[in-house]
């Protein structure tokens, strides 16, 4: 195909038609994955590994020296939008997020690519350019990667980051009295389903796409001024799945004010129509035993709280006295942050105030 006449055809291709499931919905279920991992014996340098598999944290952390830790993570998935450049941006933003969720700075990234040979390779260039531009915005270098032929397009990054020990954040450090702040609305997975079904635009006017391409670094750069005790990003397990993991890891009760959880308006409408990704139900089944209701449960909202997010926001567990100043900083960055709950002493688990 010549460069000039290929353009029209490329624009007509719906990238999401080439994937059976989209984004984080394509992730293996947490129960099945846990089963698989239990059977495997992984090598670990116990002296130097600071964060490993045990608490389901966002990334692994390895001690390089007393002053510096290495953070390592990998994420990739099938198209969540039709525009290749936007898909690349979203996949990279999502992969880089796990470094931010640990309080770190990304330094080096590698592409992971699956690509069908029936598609024009200009599409792949656009995907990679999207990933490259987001990585540039993060300040990290993108230095190669690995590409295989595949039935479905797949893209993501393996990312290395650094963090000093005093800035490291895990999902197991939440303290009694902490205020929980969420930096992006939820419902992204539902919006992705709506894009795939053709109900929603697959361009920058879509609020979910604006959120998925927004790096989580803008929040993290303010952390050093405050007492932040725990952090995680909201991705495949949905808001409540990640909150359950934080409650388990920190051995605390987390109390959520369900009315305060910000949800993309259109996503709630689609959920009422029954357009919820299967992953939401899988997550609910996995984590339901950790939930306690205070008041009459809204089943639909509960399912939305388990909607698997692609490139979701950060959940920050901040000391109560610092929460309002941090919020002002986040608003100043144009981040739609919301206080959604707090950390209590009580019995480990998640209490939902309806
Ligand atoms: Co994560
Ligand atoms: Co991840
Ligand atoms: Co973390």
């Amino acid at each position: 195909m010549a460069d000039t006449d290929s353009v029209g055809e490329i624009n007509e291709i719906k990238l999401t038609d080439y994937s059976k499931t989209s984004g984080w919905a394509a992730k293996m279920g947490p129960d099945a994955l846990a089963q698989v991992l239990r059977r495997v014996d992984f090598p670990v340098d116990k002296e130097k590994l600071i964060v490993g598999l045990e608490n389901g944290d966002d990334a692994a952390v390895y001690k390089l020296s007393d002053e510096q830790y290495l953070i390592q993570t990998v994420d990739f998935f099938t198209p969540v939008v039709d525009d290749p450049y936007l898909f690349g941006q979203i996949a990279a933003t999502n992969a880089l997020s796990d470094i931010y969720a640990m309080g770190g700075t990304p330094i080096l990234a590698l592409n992971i690519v699956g690509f069908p040979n029936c598609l024009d390779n200009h599409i792949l260039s656009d995907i990679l350019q999207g990933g490259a531009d987001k990585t540039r915005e993060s300040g990290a270098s993108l230095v190669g990667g690995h590409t295989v032929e595949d039935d479905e397009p797949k893209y993501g990054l393996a990312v290395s980051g650094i963090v000093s020990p005093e800035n490291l954040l895990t999902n197991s450090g939440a303290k009694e009295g902490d205020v929980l702040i969420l930096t992006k609305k939820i419902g992204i997975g539902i919006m992705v389903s709506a894009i795939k079904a053709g109900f929603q635009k697959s361009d920058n006017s879509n609020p979910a796409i604006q959120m998925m391409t927004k790096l989580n670094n803008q929040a993290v750069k303010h952390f050093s001024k405050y007492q932040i005790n725990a952090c995680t990003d909201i991705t495949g397990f949905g808001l409540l799945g990640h909150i359950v993991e934080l409650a388990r890891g920190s051995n605390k009760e987390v109390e959520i004010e369900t009315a305060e959880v910000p949800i993309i308006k259109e996503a709630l409408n689609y959920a009422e129509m029954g357009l919820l990704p299967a992953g939401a139900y899988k997550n609910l089944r996995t984590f339901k035993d950790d939930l306690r209701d205070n008041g009459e449960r809204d089943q639909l909202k509960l399912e939305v709280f388990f909607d698997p997010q692609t490139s979701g926001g950060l959940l920050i567990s901040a000391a109560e006295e610092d929460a309002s100043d941090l919020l002002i900083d986040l608003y100043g960055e144009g981040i739609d942050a919301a206080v959604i709950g707090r950390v209590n002493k009580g019995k480990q688990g998640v209490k939902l105030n309806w």
Side-chain angles (χ1 to χ4, degrees):
M1 244 185 276
D3 275 5
T4 41
D5 36 61
S6 64
V7 176
E9 273 176 65
I10 288 173
N11 289 341
E12 282 155 28
I13 282 171
K14 267 193 91 193
L15 211 51
T16 55
D17 284 348
Y18 288 82
S19 64
K20 294 188 276 288
T21 48
S22 288
W24 273 101
K27 204 191 181 195
M28 193 171 183
D31 294 331
L33 183 63
Q35 249 173 35
V36 171
L37 295 181
R38 260 198 304 274
R39 295 184 204 116
V40 186
D41 179 24
F42 294 103
V44 165
D45 181 341
K46 289 205 175 81
E47 306 265 279
K48 293 194 168 152
L49 192 75
I50 306 293
V51 178
L53 273 168
E54 49 292 315
N55 288 328
D57 223 313
D58 299 292
V61 180
Y62 181 91
K63 181 178 178 175
L64 294 173
S65 70
D66 287 337
E67 292 78 40
Q68 196 162 68
Y69 292 169
L70 174 74
I71 310 171
Q72 194 118 28
T73 182
V74 58
D75 263 312
F76 65 102
F77 46 65
T78 54
V80 288
V81 294
D82 292 316
D83 181 301
Y85 179 72
L86 281 176
F87 171 49
Q89 285 195 316
I90 291 167
T93 303
N94 177 78
L96 290 158
S97 176
D98 279 329
I99 303 290
Y100 298 128
M102 306 304 285
T105 306
I107 52 169
L108 209 55
L110 296 167
N111 289 315
I112 297 165
V113 183
F115 198 70
N117 60 6
C118 63
L119 289 179
D120 189 291
N121 66 25
H122 285 82
I123 293 173
L124 182 53
S125 300
D126 288 346
I127 293 172
L128 297 181
Q129 191 61 59
D133 285 349
K134 275 294 151 184
T135 306
R136 179 176 293 108
E137 193 183 323
S138 80
S141 300
L142 209 167
V143 292
H146 191 75
T147 306
V148 296
E149 215 180 279
D150 200 336
D151 293 344
E152 299 175 289
K154 296 186 180 87
Y155 178 61
L157 298 175
V159 191
S160 301
I162 47 169
V163 67
S164 59
E166 64 274 18
N167 289 333
L168 174 67
L169 294 169
T170 66
N171 64 5
S172 54
K175 291 196 165 61
E176 188 188 342
D178 278 3
V179 171
L180 291 179
I181 297 170
L182 180 67
T183 68
K184 287 182 190 175
K185 289 180 182 165
I186 63 163
I188 293 174
I190 298 167
M191 294 295 278
V192 166
S193 301
I195 291 169
K196 200 166 154 59
F199 297 153
Q200 274 281 315
K201 281 212 179 115
S202 187
D203 62 33
N204 257 324
S205 68
N206 186 321
I209 292 179
Q210 290 168 17
M211 277 189 264
M212 287 190 282
T213 55
K214 197 171 164 74
L215 287 178
N216 281 328
N217 60 349
Q218 302 301 87
V220 177
K221 71 180 187 203
H222 297 281
F223 284 4
S224 58
K225 283 184 281 176
Y226 304 115
Q227 183 64 43
I228 311 294
N229 293 318
C231 184
T232 189
D233 60 350
I234 305 303
T235 53
F237 297 156
L239 175 69
L240 278 186
H242 290 282
I243 288 176
V244 165
E245 293 215 307
L246 182 119
R248 285 179 188 166
S250 305
N251 194 21
K252 295 283 183 300
E253 180 189 77
V254 172
E255 186 173 6
I256 299 299
E257 300 300 334
T258 57
E260 303 301 322
V261 175
I263 304 171
I264 301 168
K265 200 172 89 247
E266 296 90 329
L268 203 52
N269 297 339
Y270 289 125
E272 278 162 9
M273 291 165 52
L275 202 72
L276 255 154
Y281 302 103
K282 263 192 237 172
N283 287 336
L284 174 56
R285 272 198 302 277
T286 302
F287 295 107
K288 65 178 183 331
D289 293 341
D290 288 62
L291 307 176
R292 295 190 282 277
D293 294 293
N294 185 9
E296 196 187 333
R297 175 184 279 192
D298 179 335
Q299 186 64 24
L300 182 78
K301 263 200 171 176
L302 183 73
E303 286 160 7
V304 173
F305 291 162
F306 280 104
D307 175 40
Q309 306 297 283
T310 296
S311 196
L314 295 177
L315 180 80
I316 305 163
S317 191
E320 190 173 16
E321 61 272 26
D322 285 340
S324 52
D325 286 341
L326 172 61
L327 270 176
I328 291 167
D329 283 341
L330 297 177
Y331 296 150
E333 296 289 349
I335 296 170
D336 240 346
V339 171
I340 62 162
R342 57 187 298 124
V343 179
N344 300 327
K345 190 158 70 185
K347 180 171 161 260
Q348 181 194 307
V350 178
K351 182 173 150 199
L352 300 169
N353 292 332
W354 295 101

